[in-house]
Amino acid sequence: MPGKPLVPMLTAVALTVAGLLAAAPPGASGPSTQDVYVAPYGNDHSQGSATHPVRTLERARDLVRQRDRNLTADLTVHLAGGTYRLTAPLALDAHDSGSGGHKVIWQGTGDTVVSGGRRVTGWHPVAGHAGLWSAPAPHGLSDTRQLYVDGVRADRAAGEVPVTLTRTDTGYTASADTLAKWPDIAGAEFVYTGGQALWNVQRDGLGQWTQPRCPVAAASGTTVTMAQPCWDNSNKRVEFPNIPGRTVSMVGPGALTNGGHVTYVENARELLDTPGEWYLDRAAHTVYYLPRAGEDPRRADVEAPALEKLVDGQGTAGTPLHDIAFRGLQFSYATWLTPSSPEGFSEIQAGYTISGPTGWADEGLCGFTPGGKCPFGAWTKEPGNVTIAHGRAIDFADDAFVHLGAAGLDLGDGTQDTTVRGSVFTDISGNGVEIGGVDQPLPTDDGDVTRDVEVTDNHLYAIPREFIGGVPIVNGYTQHDLIAHNQIDHVGYSGTSMGWGGWPDKIGSPATPNDSHDNAVSDNLITDYMQGLDDGGGVYTQGLTGASMADGEKVTGNVIHTQFGLGKSVYTDNGCTYETVSDNVLYGASYANVASRHTDYRDALGNNDPTLVSGNWWEQGDADSNNKGLVTHGNHIIASPSDAPAATVANAGLEPAYQWLLGRRFGAISVPAAPTRVGTAAGSERTLLVTFNPVWADGGSPVTGYRATAEDADGHVAATATVSAADFASSALVRLTGLTNGVPYRVTVSALNSHGASASSLPSTPLAPRAGNVLPAAPTGVKLHAQATAATVSWTPPSAPGDSPVIGYRITLTDPAGHARTIEVAGRDALVTQPSAKGMFRVVGDLTPATTYTMSVAAVTGTGTGPAATVTSTTPPT
């Protein structure tokens, strides 16, 4: 439950008649006689007055419909504090709209919870299974994908696949019949986590930016049959006959990579082995849970989401839903069951999936393959647990979207003049806010256009929790949208995703024509992003953003830093045209602050997509240029964040009136989530180097460190090591020493916070330390771009890393007098750029104008430091 009211003026509101009378919307002179009052203790047979409130939102809606709809003032539905358990979504249409410029306001008190959950009670220990508890599934709960204990998301039972699997046309052949002996195997789900290949970390999935999921249909003997159409949609994506390996979708591979390797399996009772895990036995109508330390299910509030939607607002292009506000409400405990169905979750990008029995062959493939459905790129959108379609003048303010199983809020096609302000989005399975769609790039009816949507001064963090290719803010084909002054932090993939339909440039075709223009991403603070996957950015954009530089997308005034995955601060991807990236502060990226260049295929002139990159404060250090329409001008190198303009930094993120949102938390304090994608490499003698993806859901208490544990084949602990969160952020690795050369070890990692240690990660692939003495080659392509007092040195990793991977670099700066300064470079980018051959850069500050410097760069591995590559350059005068 919230610890602080969302609307300060309502702090004193209590669950009394006086409190209900006080809950007037801001600016109102007092409650109207038209107003409706609702309380958890109300009675739906009453008339909804302040002294006789109704009990349900549905009854309140019906009373609103009975009021005189020629409003002369706002009509407020006053929702007292407490939980409102829905038995069906609150369905709204044009009949529920305001009128005369006045709104119907659904007003909560800050602790008003709109819930689609069912409380799980009747817990008792399971005989013969130490620590395991069970309870009857609540009435009306046939399935769910989430469970919450005192507001803390429990982990769906998961673990390693206990057999070796070889992919077939219909699924897999297993090395043993183990899975066939699981009575609930048909409910299990195979998960394929993408991300950059690194050391012995497998790259699974359908691209580095994805985490598809497919249910198991059946297992008999050693034959594992996967659910259809998920299996075909994830393995038979049609490819161009004359371009081997290039799918007609042009997004990712045609089949699950790495031979269809399964990262882990989820949702089977046999996997219940770790505190914090749960499982729903649908056949027996029973919920199982292994409590974490200190939890007692009999005394806890255990919630199982049952509904897939909480609010379903549906207008039409001709009769829109309009003039409605939702204020001071918490939307919680909704699920999404399609991924558990045979459709599964065959991901394309940003929560969009391929679906339908022939989706792999035709969905969204207009014009590129026979029978392709139009328009190109119109794949299946992740639904919202709160949904508005064809809405006008809809306002969400001071709300919370938390403990949700799909996207949090979907503002679909035809949403216009709508605001989302001062709200919190966290603990959401997929995307945070979705704006518009990708099914109508050129709508013929103005009522279908999405425009003038403002998402401002919101805090979006610790998402996504389940479909980790999700994005806090996803914007499709829209006009005049403003995404500003939000704080986005601790997220699994990109911070924002803008635009669509640019992929045809991969085959020399222009981006999909669309109606987008005049969209802005400005003054946001985006930090600690791409913590789980790769190939994204703080602000990711692709496709046509307008018709000219004047009305194209503007990315301005943002502060974007501390990226973990391989990517860019601002990522201008395929077909991104007419984008302006100006006056941002960008640092701590993996290999680029602003990128990448793409050819403009709308003509045969060989130009690049028109783009302006100007006035940014960054580390990338590109020189001013006009590269066939890609204009880079007037950017400033920063050696540290303090070099950036203080006013720009202070202006980014939540404005002062909304800063208090940062202290708002939901549910009990708990241990963090477990780290993911653990990889190992041989270091020096008797040493393993360990890297992993960190935690972006900290349990409500900051992560203080990580503990790595190495076990031999018999399960004996051979070594442990703990690293602080700060040290891991700078080095991205842990050293396990004192091991035995030639003996293979598997390593797990736990995250630590003030509440304790997380569950252990999945183990790494077994690896044995070994002696080594082969040093890396010298880096290549060393360049120096100097400004008067700072310079960016860039290089490409060595082609031969030696017998231990590159874990850092040593930069040595020598001035004309022979004085040398050494800078040690480490971090995730030093690790991931080696196998991907991506360039690296660092900034060296405190230079003297008009001075010639010599810069050398050498690679550092677990074995030692290799030879250096050298470049000389002169700083310009001031």
Side-chain angles (χ1 to χ4, degrees):
M1 295 298 104
K4 178 176 180 180
L6 281 172
V7 184
M9 66 168 288
L10 300 177
T11 302
V13 173
L15 301 184
T16 62
V17 172
L20 288 167
L21 290 170
S29 59
S32 164
T33 56
Q34 293 279 81
D35 287 358
V36 175
Y37 294 80
V38 195
Y41 54 81
N43 187 325
D44 276 355
H45 294 292
S46 70
Q47 293 304 305
S49 66
T51 53
H52 296 86
V54 297
R55 184 177 60 83
T56 67
L57 275 61
E58 294 87 350
R59 177 58 178 160
R61 176 203 58 198
D62 294 344
L63 289 176
V64 169
R65 288 180 174 179
Q66 296 172 17
R67 300 297 200 252
D68 181 0
R69 301 320 303 280
N70 295 316
L71 299 179
T72 58
D74 291 341
L75 190 163
T76 301
V77 180
H78 301 269
L79 296 165
T83 298
Y84 297 83
R85 296 186 183 275
L86 304 180
T87 57
L90 176 64
L92 304 173
D93 58 29
H95 298 92
D96 303 299
S97 302
S99 63
H102 300 290
K103 291 185 181 294
V104 173
I105 301 173
W106 293 77
Q107 178 72 61
T109 64
D111 57 356
T112 300
V113 181
V114 178
S115 171
R118 303 288 181 267
R119 189 165 187 180
V120 185
T121 59
W123 291 96
H124 58 272
V126 177
H129 295 80
L132 184 64
W133 292 67
S134 70
H139 177 72
L141 181 76
S142 58
D143 198 4
T144 190
R145 293 180 62 88
Q146 296 85 30
L147 190 77
Y148 299 88
V149 181
D150 288 331
V152 176
R153 182 179 290 237
D155 299 320
R156 206 164 175 233
E160 294 181 276
V161 180
V163 292
T164 300
L165 298 172
T166 303
R167 182 167 54 190
T168 67
D169 289 343
T170 58
Y172 297 92
T173 298
S175 58
D177 63 353
T178 308
L179 295 177
K181 296 176 180 177
W182 290 7
D184 54 353
I185 187 61
E189 189 170 287
F190 285 173
V191 183
Y192 309 86
T193 303
Q196 187 65 34
L198 174 65
W199 300 1
N200 60 358
V201 181
Q202 310 260 21
R203 180 197 288 180
D204 300 327
L206 289 160
Q208 298 104 299
W209 57 93
T210 67
Q211 192 194 57
R213 296 163 171 263
C214 275
V216 176
S220 176
T222 58
T223 299
V224 178
T225 303
M226 300 299 292
Q228 295 286 15
C230 186
W231 186 246
D232 281 354
N233 287 338
S234 302
N235 287 283
K236 293 176 63 176
R237 296 181 180 183
V238 62
E239 297 182 353
F240 288 106
N242 58 338
I243 312 177
R246 173 67 72 195
T247 59
V248 174
S249 72
M250 292 167 274
V251 188
L256 292 165
T257 56
N258 198 22
H261 178 263
V262 181
T263 311
Y264 62 93
V265 59
E266 191 172 281
N267 196 41
R269 184 175 172 181
E270 287 77 7
L271 302 170
L272 272 171
D273 58 6
T274 303
E277 287 189 326
W278 68 279
Y279 169 70
L280 171 63
D281 186 329
R282 291 175 293 178
H285 207 60
T286 301
V287 182
Y288 293 91
Y289 181 59
L290 266 174
R292 298 181 175 101
E295 289 180 336
D296 184 343
R298 295 168 299 184
R299 295 176 174 82
D301 175 20
V302 182
E303 299 283 345
L307 297 185
E308 296 186 79
K309 285 190 186 297
L310 301 175
V311 176
D312 190 14
Q314 298 291 329
T316 67
T319 55
L321 178 73
H322 62 90
D323 292 291
I324 296 179
F326 301 90
R327 298 175 180 165
L329 303 176
Q330 176 180 321
F331 299 101
S332 291
Y333 304 121
T335 190
W336 177 35
L337 297 178
T338 296
S340 298
S341 77
E343 285 283 1
F345 187 75
S346 181
E347 189 170 20
I348 278 277
Q349 184 168 315
Y352 280 80
T353 61
I354 291 180
S355 66
T358 60
W360 59 274
D362 56 26
E363 187 178 23
L365 302 184
C366 178
F368 292 106
T369 190
K373 295 180 180 178
C374 295
F376 169 73
W379 298 299
T380 302
K381 183 180 180 180
E382 185 176 283
N385 292 133
V386 176
T387 297
I388 301 293
H390 294 100
R392 308 283 192 277
I394 310 296
D395 297 334
F396 291 88
D398 305 315
D399 297 316
F401 297 79
V402 60
H403 310 325
L404 297 174
L409 172 62
D410 178 22
L411 302 174
D413 289 340
T415 300
Q416 300 178 5
D417 301 300
T418 289
T419 62
V420 182
R421 178 176 290 113
S423 297
V424 174
F425 293 79
T426 190
D427 191 22
I428 297 170
S429 287
N431 296 325
V433 183
E434 299 175 331
I435 310 169
V438 301
D439 57 325
Q440 299 186 67
L442 292 169
T444 56
D445 189 325
D446 182 70
D448 290 324
V449 174
T450 302
R451 64 165 177 256
D452 296 299
V453 175
E454 295 187 0
V455 179
T456 60
D457 282 299
N458 303 286
H459 187 202
L460 305 98
Y461 70 97
I463 51 178
R465 292 298 309 273
E466 186 175 359
F467 311 110
I468 64 173
V471 182
I473 302 176
V474 177
N475 190 90
Y477 297 129
T478 66
Q479 304 172 5
H480 293 283
D481 285 357
L482 175 64
I483 298 171
H485 285 292
N486 301 287
Q487 177 164 324
I488 300 171
D489 63 87
H490 295 89
V491 294
Y493 180 52
S494 295
T496 65
S497 179
M498 306 287 292
W500 205 253
W503 297 284
D505 77 355
K506 293 181 178 181
I507 59 166
S509 295
T512 302
N514 68 75
D515 69 340
S516 294
H517 61 82
D518 291 291
N519 293 314
V521 182
S522 62
D523 306 311
N524 300 284
L525 174 60
I526 303 174
T527 179
D528 295 284
Y529 58 100
M530 288 178 62
Q531 301 283 291
L533 297 176
D534 293 272
D535 199 9
V539 176
Y540 172 93
T541 304
Q542 58 123 319
L544 291 164
T545 74
S548 67
M549 291 303 299
D551 71 359
E553 181 177 298
K554 306 296 188 295
V555 179
T556 62
N558 302 283
V559 175
I560 304 174
H561 67 88
T562 313
Q563 176 187 111
F564 191 80
L566 188 69
K568 301 105 177 179
S569 308
V570 178
Y571 191 163
T572 56
D573 204 2
N574 299 103
C576 180
T577 305
Y578 299 126
E579 174 147 339
T580 296
V581 182
S582 294
D583 304 310
N584 303 283
V585 177
L586 312 171
Y587 60 94
S590 284
Y591 76 95
N593 290 136
V594 182
S596 54
R597 181 202 66 79
H598 290 279
T599 301
D600 186 349
Y601 290 105
R602 294 176 299 164
D603 54 39
L605 299 178
N607 292 320
N608 292 321
D609 291 323
T611 306
L612 174 63
V613 182
S614 68
N616 298 288
W617 299 80
W618 63 356
E619 297 173 320
Q620 187 168 318
D622 291 358
D624 289 357
S625 67
N626 185 340
N627 182 9
K628 299 180 179 180
L630 171 56
V631 178
T632 303
H633 176 74
N635 299 290
H636 315 277
I637 296 174
I638 58 174
S640 74
S642 62
D643 293 340
T648 302
V649 173
N651 187 56
L654 298 172
E655 295 178 281
Y658 297 94
Q659 284 286 325
W660 69 274
L661 291 174
L662 300 178
R664 190 152 192 254
R665 292 293 182 266
F666 302 87
I669 301 296
S670 72
V671 299
T676 57
R677 304 190 76 238
V678 179
T680 55
S684 57
E685 184 83 7
R686 303 179 62 198
T687 298
L688 283 182
L689 305 174
V690 184
T691 190
F692 50 90
N693 281 71
V695 169
W696 61 93
D698 62 13
S701 177
V703 173
T704 57
Y706 296 94
R707 183 170 60 231
T709 302
E711 294 184 357
D712 62 21
D714 295 324
H716 299 137
V717 174
T720 63
T722 300
V723 63
S724 71
D727 285 346
F728 181 77
S730 64
S731 69
L733 59 84
V734 182
R735 285 181 171 84
L736 286 167
T737 60
L739 302 173
T740 302
N741 287 351
V743 174
Y745 299 94
R746 303 212 304 171
V747 176
T748 58
V749 182
S750 296
L752 311 174
N753 70 3
S754 64
H755 202 70
S758 75
S760 294
S761 67
L762 291 172
S764 65
T765 300
L767 183 71
R770 65 178 186 274
N773 54 19
V774 179
L775 296 174
T780 60
V782 179
K783 298 178 182 178
L784 196 65
H785 177 64
Q787 293 183 355
T789 60
T792 297
V793 56
S794 61
W795 65 91
T796 302
S799 56
D803 55 15
S804 184
V806 172
I807 58 175
Y809 293 88
R810 180 167 295 153
I811 300 174
T812 303
L813 175 74
T814 306
D815 66 16
H819 299 133
R821 176 165 32 127
T822 299
I823 300 168
E824 300 291 343
V825 173
R828 182 69 166 190
D829 56 344
L831 278 53
V832 296
T833 51
Q834 176 65 51
S836 61
K838 300 292 187 183
M840 281 197 64
F841 58 90
R842 283 295 189 274
V843 174
V844 178
D846 298 322
L847 303 183
T848 303
T851 302
T852 299
Y853 290 92
T854 299
M855 194 87 67
S856 67
V857 183
V860 178
T861 71
T863 301
T865 302
T870 301
V871 65
T872 298
S873 184
T874 301
T875 57
T878 54

